[in-house]
Amino acid sequence: MSKNAKQNLADSKKMSAELFCLTYGSLVTELLRDYEDPKEVTMQLDKMGFNMGTRLADDFLAKNSNVPRCTDCRQIAEVLCKNAIPCYLGTTANSSNWVGGDREFTIVIENNPLNELVQVPPNLLAAGLSYSQVIAGAIRGALEAVHFKVYATAMENGANTEIRIRFDSVLKDNLPAGEDD
Amino acid sequence: SLSRGKAEVNLSTFAVLFSEMVRYAQNRSETVTDIHDKLASYGKQVGYRMFDIITLREKGYKRETKLLGILMFIKSTVWKNLFGKEADKLERSNDDQCTYLLIEKDPMVNTFISVPKDKGVLNCAAFVAGIVEAILESASFTCKVTAHWHSGTAYVIQFDESLPTM
């Protein structure tokens, strides 16, 4: 902090992952109390993630001017795994399981910081709670902010979190003036 | 795992998460006091868990039993663990022996929330106040902690009168 030596890419401030994880945990607990149905909670988390994603997309593009414009799903996955997820979650991710002519893929997030210190009761998982759905929602929101419509769902898988992403379409109509190249 | 710690995430990620939580609390609340209560209850959830982690890691699972000890523990150790720096000031109220003030110039949670004009007294540091209250409670110091605007943000810690002071 003394000299601004560590101003590398992103140039972003860091904070305790535990405070972040526990804060998210208390939000999920509150939602479970308010909604009772775990499926409904998953939907709410997805909505909140969407709102977060649209704002993070701005933040990301403002701080990473070197990231090129994506033209296909392979590039989207590459930017998500190599840039966005390490930047915002401080962990690594890989894409795999490409199907449907590269229109559907899975991102595996290792050491998901949201799952640190957390144990989700199996009965809630069985009833449809997807604990990390907020990440899927954020990806959906962030991509929609750059005019890609996707469907995303999160699944816990032992130590890792898998985000299944299905590409739907490019949103051409609401392209703001001057953005087209 | 408990021993690892020190992992970090981007502050922006927390910022957007926290603002979603404030929005959620706001949508479900009638008054500013309700919002404060909700944020404090989120904070308490965090505080109870953080207390265990921090006492285990930093104090070899020995908890403080002296009032001043626990207050200093919060000001330095807890604050460093949560926000990466110490809180700015710890004061005892002149009027009331049971009241202490923990002062922080700009709390992290307030740096990215713009308070609407009609809710001028809203202070999202209520979330942090909840954390402090839960930690003191876990250490068996019954108290009420509230956040106020006062040379930055002051966490007013009102101890139960039955507690021996100092």
Side-chain angles (χ1 to χ4, degrees):
Chain A
M1 295 289 141
S2 51
K3 298 166 191 172
N4 288 333
K6 282 189 181 168
Q7 287 202 336
N8 48 7
L9 75 141
D11 176 30
S12 49
K13 291 186 180 146
K14 299 281 180 192
M15 54 92 62
S16 157
E18 276 161 358
L19 177 58
F20 174 66
C21 157
L22 290 176
T23 305
Y24 181 67
S26 72
L27 171 68
V28 178
T29 318
E30 173 81 2
L31 287 172
L32 281 167
R33 203 179 296 138
D34 285 351
Y35 286 96
E36 288 169 0
D37 179 13
K39 280 205 190 87
E40 188 71 23
V41 173
T42 304
M43 273 172 57
Q44 282 299 320
L45 290 174
D46 190 71
K47 266 189 212 158
M48 288 181 165
F50 183 87
N51 294 338
M52 290 163 63
T54 48
R55 294 209 257 159
L56 285 178
D58 284 342
D59 186 80
F60 180 75
L61 292 175
K63 288 175 181 167
N64 298 269
S65 50
N66 53 336
V67 170
R69 178 173 219 124
C70 297
T71 49
D72 63 25
C73 286
R74 292 265 174 190
Q75 284 179 358
I76 294 175
E78 167 117 356
V79 172
L80 282 175
C81 292
K82 295 257 159 61
N83 303 87
I85 290 171
C87 174
Y88 290 107
L89 294 175
T91 184
T92 48
N94 286 299
S95 57
S96 60
N97 271 337
W98 291 85
V99 289
D102 283 0
R103 290 169 74 87
E104 205 172 330
F105 58 100
T106 305
I107 288 180
V108 181
I109 301 172
E110 286 157 35
N111 303 316
N112 180 359
L114 291 179
N115 277 337
E116 188 100 349
L117 313 168
V118 172
Q119 204 167 18
V120 186
N123 60 324
L124 288 179
L125 290 178
L129 176 69
S130 167
Y131 188 77
S132 301
Q133 183 67 28
V134 77
I135 301 180
I139 291 176
R140 185 169 67 88
L143 289 176
E144 190 149 322
V146 289
H147 309 294
F148 291 111
K149 185 162 173 57
V150 297
Y151 296 99
T153 42
M155 286 159 287
E156 305 314 326
N157 168 32
N160 298 331
T161 301
E162 288 181 8
I163 315 278
R164 187 85 194 137
I165 296 175
R166 185 158 59 81
F167 177 78
D168 184 74
S169 57
V170 176
L171 301 165
K172 277 248 180 270
D173 292 340
N174 32 11
L175 213 59
E179 278 286 298
D180 211 341
D181 53 13
Chain B
S1 70
L2 278 181
S3 54
R4 240 196 17 224
K6 300 292 171 251
E8 288 184 317
V9 292
N10 197 321
L11 185 59
S12 309
T13 323
F14 181 79
V16 288
L17 173 68
F18 188 71
S19 56
E20 279 304 308
M21 291 173 75
V22 174
R23 189 211 309 247
Y24 181 76
Q26 199 177 354
N27 286 346
R28 297 199 148 232
S29 305
E30 301 276 314
T31 63
V32 173
T33 324
D34 282 352
I35 303 178
H36 280 168
D37 288 349
K38 277 204 188 308
L39 289 175
S41 81
Y42 303 159
K44 286 185 90 164
Q45 297 250 8
V46 177
Y48 290 129
R49 288 158 183 82
M50 237 25 230
F51 176 74
D52 276 348
I53 300 173
I54 298 173
T55 36
L56 170 71
R57 259 192 220 136
E58 313 263 342
K59 312 283 280 180
Y61 230 73
K62 287 200 180 76
R63 76 165 165 86
E64 293 284 346
T65 50
K66 297 268 193 306
L67 188 68
L68 202 59
I70 190 81
L71 287 171
M72 289 309 291
F73 169 75
I74 290 175
K75 177 178 183 279
S76 59
T77 318
V78 170
W79 237 255
K80 269 191 195 148
N81 268 279
L82 293 177
F83 310 114
K85 62 175 169 67
E86 284 196 19
D88 294 317
K89 254 192 268 177
L90 179 66
E91 284 174 6
R92 184 184 199 171
S93 163
N94 291 326
D95 325 320
D96 182 358
Q97 295 287 296
C98 298
T99 304
Y100 287 78
L101 298 161
L102 187 66
I103 295 171
E104 198 180 24
K105 281 226 166 49
D106 27 34
M108 186 182 77
V109 290
N110 277 354
T111 48
F112 30 73
I113 304 281
S114 45
V115 179
K117 287 237 159 52
D118 59 318
K119 295 199 174 71
V121 289
L122 174 68
N123 193 338
C124 294
F127 174 74
V128 183
I131 298 182
V132 174
E133 186 173 317
I135 289 177
L136 285 163
E137 231 171 65
S138 310
S140 312
F141 292 95
T142 322
C143 64
K144 183 79 202 145
V145 183
T146 44
H148 298 272
W149 299 106
H150 168 71
S151 50
T153 287
Y155 304 101
V156 178
I157 308 171
Q158 176 86 49
F159 286 105
D160 205 76
E161 280 177 18
S162 61
L163 278 174
T165 45
M166 291 312 277

